Amino acid sequence: MRIENIMTKEEYSRLADTKSPNSKTGINLVKAFVSGGLICCVGQALVYAYRRGLQLNEEMTATAVSVTLIFLGVLLTNLKVYDCLAKVSGAGTLVPITGFANSVASPALEFKAEGFVSGLAAKMFVIAGPVIVYGISASVIYGIILWLIKIV
């Protein structure tokens, strides 16, 4: 017995368009810009604090700021604050280093009940894994291209 499709792709697309809420692109762009900018302002404030307060050199300051932002991203994820912030702010919370920390911490926290190895460790890079793989792959390809350009 063969069952035919009830709707064509075009009919389904029209139905989905009528049922889906319209995206508020303008306000979403503003929210993303402001929230991402605020996260970057926190990072810049940390730069000033570490450089002037702790008298760290440039390399140590960059390391300290990165570690602090990662820590804050994971802490806020664990406290369920980062997800609420992301719901309000949108994509602005995804791009900075805190968003990457959130993408590693969220699945780890979600699956920790399944155990340390099969839960926490196995699920930690579900979201961040592809970013790492493609980032490393792109850097290798760019490195090869630059090497070839210098040879020629």
Side-chain angles (χ1 to χ4, degrees):
M1 179 175 182
R2 186 172 166 219
I3 299 175
E4 295 292 327
N5 289 336
I6 297 172
M7 290 185 172
T8 66
K9 289 181 182 180
E10 293 80 19
E11 290 172 332
Y12 179 78
S13 178
R14 275 184 269 142
L15 178 65
D17 288 343
T18 60
K19 300 294 181 187
S20 299
N22 291 333
S23 176
K24 299 174 184 168
T25 305
I27 192 71
N28 289 342
L29 288 172
V30 171
K31 286 180 180 180
F33 180 79
V34 170
S35 62
L38 286 174
I39 292 170
C40 293
C41 286
V42 169
Q44 191 62 46
L46 289 170
V47 167
Y48 291 139
Y50 287 138
R51 288 298 293 265
R52 292 189 180 154
L54 297 178
Q55 301 296 317
L56 297 178
N57 63 27
E58 191 174 331
E59 185 177 336
M60 288 300 292
T61 298
T63 301
V65 169
S66 295
V67 169
T68 304
L69 288 173
I70 290 168
F71 171 77
L72 290 173
V74 172
L75 178 67
L76 293 175
T77 298
N78 193 28
L79 297 174
K80 309 280 190 241
V81 173
Y82 204 89
D83 292 338
C84 294
L85 181 66
K87 284 180 186 174
V88 172
S89 302
T93 58
L94 298 176
V95 177
I97 195 168
T98 53
F100 186 76
N102 172 265
S103 72
V104 173
S106 290
L109 292 170
E110 185 177 337
F111 292 100
K112 71 181 177 181
E114 294 180 20
F116 185 72
V117 174
S118 63
L120 182 84
K123 301 295 184 177
M124 188 178 293
F125 293 103
V126 166
I127 297 171
V131 174
I132 294 169
V133 168
Y134 287 114
I136 291 171
S137 301
S139 66
V140 168
I141 291 168
Y142 297 147
I144 291 170
I145 291 170
L146 286 173
W147 179 71
L148 290 172
I149 289 171
K150 286 184 181 180
I151 289 178
V152 176

